[in-house]
Every structure is written in structure tokens, then in C-alpha cells.
Amino acid sequence: MNVLDPIADRLSALAIELPSWAFGNSGTRFRVFAQKGVPRDPFEKVSDAAQVHRHTGLAPTVALHIPWDTVDDYTALAAHAESEGVKLGTINSNTFQDEDYKLGSVTHCDDRIRQKAIDHHFECIDVMHQTGSRDLKIWLADGTNYPGQDDMRARQDRLSDSLQQIYARLGDDQRLVLEYKFFEPAFYHTDVPDWGTSFAQVSALGSKAMVCLDTGHHAPGTNIEFIVMQLLRLGRLGSFDFNSRFYADDDLIVGAADPFQLFRILAEVIRGGGFGSPDVAFMLDQCHNIEDKIPGQIRSVLNVQEMTARALLIDGDALAAAQRAGDVLAANGVLMDAFQTDVRPALAAWRAARGLPEDPMRAYAESGYSERIVADRIGGTQAGWGA
Ligand code: PSV
Ligand code: MN
């Protein structure tokens, strides 16, 4: 008997969207370390993302970031994705790399700049129509560095007005997801710093507006699973940007820094009905600065799968009984039993039963893809965070 037998079907619902930018060069503000074989365009990024799905069966869609992934023909990019066995997913806007946005974008006091930022989102919605994407994900670098620099309340009002205009452009089946981040690049105040602000703003828009929770965007020690519970309870958890962190927005491999936190988050997603629900999109938002990018993404989706499996193993009846009885240690014990179950051999068997490699990391290493892209991708300009 495989330990996963009782949850094998539920586990099949797991699908994790990959960020196109994870396959480009990235770094810190100190240095970008270029790697050989890195994609030169969005087509090559999609091909790399498809390798992750090919070996894991877990990553059927790829998120694009505009303008990093601007192409002349989005239907051709979508067709390329299909030919590689994946689909295009969320469209991310970018109002953080243009001179005009130095003091803000959709919150800017200059109407010309604010309109430019709104128009960029209209363009993103046009792209969504061509790619068949459902979600427009908005993360804003807007904020200030010094007390008194700008009127925080007026900025909040302009944010609300800008979002209303963007929201009004969405198609019936499209959504807006608003990501929050407590600091960086602004250091004094950020215009969407927390889930409460994102919730207040999206609630004012309508039912197609949701909150995006990036696991790296909280102060150290924050109980992220509480936020997951609350947003699910309020019906506004739209998506995750998964990654992990030791200090700030480190964008490391999900589950690398704190596997127990990932388990607790997934336990609340399952508890709150968000697992396998179309309402809650699972995405990665990571950068592989020093490790190989494709295996970095494979490891990431496997980590999410492993912790999802462990969270699905929580004995809900035993937990509820212990909670009702006020048995603190028994309740905690039920959770820890699931967390401490080694599901790796069972997952290998689960994969084999579905025609997937038992060891996706090894299968990728042996596939020759890495050597092929290093040999083939000569010339051109490598894609990079910000390029
Ligand atoms: C901001 O730190 C962020 O998490 C947003 O999702 C951006 O779109 C992404 O990172 C860019 O890497
Ligand atoms: Mn993010």
C-alpha cells in the first residue's frame, strides 16, 4: 500500500505556473551572473519552461511579464507553447522600470504619468485577449522614501481610481490580481504594503478582483498561513507567488528556507477549499541567480508537490476531534505526523504510475537539453531581469 493512495487523485489537481523571467539571467543589485544557454527571447523561455512540465507533469502554464516578454505575434507564441505541451498563463504588468515611474506609476500625482501607467495595463489586457490569459497581475513599486515626500492618502485615492479604470477594461472571464509587498524598492512607505490594503482596494472593484500573496513579501516572523486562511474566508485569495526567503524578498527556491512554513500554508489552502479550485492560482516567482535555472524550477515544483502531499495527509477527523476536546498536544501531533511523513518514495511511484520519470531531476540531467541549449544558443542577447 502506497502512503499516497488515499490522496492520489487529489494530488493530481496540483498545477503550478512558472514565471518566464526565472529562465533569464538575474542577480542582485551587486551583480548579474550570466549563464550559458540562457534564452534570448520569450519563445526560448517557453521552451525551457516546458522542460519542467515534461519531467514533472506539474507545470502546464507559463506566466509572461510585459514588456520583458513583448513579441510581435502573441498567437504565434501561444501556438509555440502548445507545441511544447504547455499554455501561456498570467500576464504581469511592469511599471517599475521606466524613468517616468521614479516617483510612482498608477499613484503618481502627474496625470500624464498616471495615464501612461493605466495605458500600460490596457495594453496588457490586449495581450491577454491574444494569449487567452485569464489573469492580469499587478505589482506596484509605488511608494516613498522619506516622510513628507508625498501625500499617502492622495496616492491611495489615485490608486483606487486607476485600478477602477483598469478593472473596467477586463473581459467577463478575466481577473485582476493585486500583489502586495511590505517594502522595496520604496523604503518609507509602500502604496500596497499588505494584504489588508490589497483587500480593501480589490473589494472596492468587484468580484473579478483578487489578492495575490507572494510568500516573500512579509516582515520576518509573519504568520502567512493566517493571511491565507483570512483571504480564503473572505473569498479574495486569487493567486500565490511562491518562493522562499531568509531575510527579505530573496526569491529563493520555494520550500528551501522553511519547508514547514510551506506545509502550513498549503494546509490552510486545503482547509479553506483553495486547493484544486480555479479561483486560487499557484505560481512561482523566483530568480535563480547562482544555480541552474531549469533544474531550479524542477526542484521548486517538486517541493510544492511534496508539501502538498504531506498537507493532504493531515487526518482532518482526528484533528477536529482533538481540537474539540481541547487536546493541545494531540492536535499539534496530528499536524506534525503529516508533516513528518516521508512521501518521497511514494511520490516516485505516483509519478511512475503516470508515465513520468521517478526522478525528474535526474531525467532532466540525462535528457541532454542543457547541453543542447548551451551549444545552440550562441549569439543574440540573453534575456535578463530588466532586459
Ligand atoms: C516584486 O518583487 C515581484 O514579486 C512582482 O511579482 C514582480 O512582478 C516580480 O517580483 C518580478 O520578479
Ligand atoms: Mn511576486
Side-chain angles (χ1 to χ4, degrees), residues 40 48 86 88 90 123 230 241 337-338 381 383 386:
R40 280 91 40 95
D48 287 5
V86 295
L88 302 179
T90 301
E123 282 162 28
Q230 188 70 289
D241 271 4
D337 277 349
T381 308

Side-chain angles (χ1 to χ4, degrees), residues 137 179 214 217 241 243 285:
K137 178 145 70 70
E179 184 173 348
D214 183 312
H217 289 188
D241 271 4
N243 50 58
D285 181 8

Side-chain angles (χ1 to χ4, degrees), residues 25-289:
N25 284 323
S26 61
T28 65
R29 63 199 171 100
F30 299 102
R31 174 77 186 164
V32 171
F33 295 104
Q35 295 186 12
K36 289 192 174 130
V38 155
R40 280 91 40 95
D41 58 42
F43 288 83
E44 291 181 349
K45 291 183 198 174
V46 166
S47 297
D48 287 5
Q51 303 311 307
V52 178
H53 188 50
R54 188 157 294 149
H55 296 295
T56 64
L58 293 173
T61 55
V62 190
L64 302 181
H65 216 296
I66 305 296
W68 297 339
D69 294 321
T70 302
V71 292
D72 292 336
D73 185 349
Y74 288 97
T75 45
L77 187 61
H80 172 69
E82 298 260 358
S83 75
E84 293 274 27
V86 295
K87 283 187 160 49
L88 302 179
T90 301
I91 299 298
N92 290 254
S93 64
N94 183 329
T95 56
F96 49 90
Q97 289 183 311
D98 186 300
E99 264 316 287
D100 272 343
Y101 301 138
K102 186 166 80 172
L103 301 180
S105 63
V106 294
T107 65
H108 207 291
C109 60
D110 180 333
D111 284 342
R112 180 190 69 79
I113 295 174
R114 191 159 78 89
Q115 191 59 50
K116 174 174 166 171
I118 294 169
D119 288 345
H120 169 66
H121 288 90
F122 291 166
E123 282 162 28
C124 287
I125 294 170
D126 289 345
V127 171
M128 289 163 69
H129 286 303
Q130 296 169 63
T131 53
S133 304
R134 180 188 62 168
D135 290 351
L136 170 65
K137 178 145 70 70
I138 304 178
W139 170 72
L140 302 168
D142 296 41
T144 62
N145 273 2
Y146 297 100
Q149 180 187 321
D150 200 2
D151 180 337
M152 292 191 288
R153 179 160 172 167
R155 290 173 74 96
Q156 204 63 208
D157 293 340
R158 292 192 290 266
L159 169 65
S160 168
D161 180 75
S162 301
L163 290 175
Q164 271 177 47
Q165 294 186 48
I166 297 164
Y167 184 81
R169 275 283 182 123
L170 293 174
D172 290 345
D173 299 326
Q174 293 175 335
R175 308 192 306 173
L176 178 162
V177 283
L178 182 62
E179 184 173 348
Y180 60 91
K181 177 172 174 175
F182 76 126
F183 88 104
E184 197 200 28
F187 295 117
Y188 167 57
H189 107 276
T190 295
D191 290 302
V192 189
D194 51 30
W195 75 268
T197 304
S198 178
F199 175 74
Q201 288 285 351
V202 300
S203 298
L205 295 175
S207 59
K208 295 184 297 182
M210 308 286 272
V211 177
C212 169
L213 188 160
D214 183 312
T215 50
H217 289 188
H218 309 84
T222 300
N223 183 336
I224 297 175
E225 58 271 26
F226 178 86
I227 300 171
V228 171
M229 173 281 294
Q230 188 70 289
L231 286 173
L232 280 168
R233 194 179 150 264
L234 296 167
R236 291 284 176 173
L237 181 61
S239 59
F240 279 100
D241 271 4
F242 282 117
N243 50 58
S244 71
R245 51 80 65 81
F246 288 98
Y247 297 101
D249 189 18
D250 303 350
D251 280 340
L252 298 172
I253 287 173
V254 58
D258 188 348
F260 185 40
Q261 181 187 60
L262 180 58
F263 166 83
R264 299 192 311 263
I265 289 171
L266 290 164
E268 283 304 329
V269 175
I270 294 164
R271 161 72 181 85
F275 180 69
S277 154
D279 294 345
V280 183
F282 280 20
M283 288 182 273
L284 301 182
D285 181 8
Q286 300 181 175
C287 292
H288 304 290
N289 301 346

